[in-house]
Amino acid sequence: MAQGAGKYLSKAGRPWAIASHGKIESAGRGLKVLGVDARKAVVVTRDQVRYAKPDPDLFLTAAERLGAKIGASIVVGDSVWDLLAARRASALGVALLSGGYGQGEVERAGAYRVYEDPADLLRHLDEVGVRIVE
């Protein structure tokens, strides 16, 4: 998702970031698997903020580093904690079912839309207002 969506969002001129509840050591391994260069992308990890999810610190910091308004941001997460933090940050929360939570759980936590996995979300980015104008 991050690599495919990141390329798509970059092409669309939309800023994006990765906010992980893991510390940089553990998040770095995941970024490598996703093909994300942490030196070029905006990456916020647990060791860079005061409080972890469900507090909104990760998402607020990511928006700040992007120069984006959090209220105009979309948070994509795969846990109820992601969605609770998105709600507390006043961002639009979108859920992926690949994190082990059920659709009802993520909807109750505040998901605006729910997708099976990152590929499903990428096919439906237009549903959350992300479009490439050619």
Side-chain angles (χ1 to χ4, degrees):
M1 160 66 184
Q3 184 177 21
K7 286 180 183 177
Y8 185 93
L9 293 171
S10 294
K11 185 176 178 183
R14 299 291 185 106
W16 59 275
I18 293 180
S20 172
H21 70 276
K23 293 188 176 184
I24 191 63
E25 297 82 23
S26 60
R29 290 186 293 273
L31 294 172
K32 187 174 181 179
V33 168
L34 292 170
V36 174
D37 185 345
R39 296 168 298 175
K40 295 180 182 176
V42 173
V43 177
V44 182
T45 56
R46 170 63 184 100
D47 46 333
Q48 298 172 355
V49 297
R50 185 168 182 176
Y51 297 108
K53 296 179 268 184
D55 286 294
D57 294 20
L58 284 165
F59 303 137
L60 294 170
T61 301
E64 181 181 313
R65 290 185 187 171
L66 289 171
K69 294 180 181 178
I70 192 65
S73 298
I74 300 168
V75 169
V76 178
D78 63 1
S79 75
V80 296
W81 310 113
D82 293 329
L83 297 159
L84 289 170
R87 182 189 295 182
R88 290 174 177 171
S90 298
L92 185 68
V94 173
L96 303 177
L97 294 177
S98 52
Y101 291 89
Q103 183 162 344
E105 291 173 294
V106 293
E107 286 175 339
R108 283 189 300 277
Y112 169 69
R113 290 277 193 265
V114 180
Y115 299 98
E116 287 296 319
D117 54 32
D120 187 29
L121 169 60
L122 190 55
R123 286 190 299 272
H124 296 97
L125 280 176
D126 63 310
E127 293 177 359
V128 294
V130 179
R131 293 175 185 82
I132 292 180
V133 179
E134 297 185 36

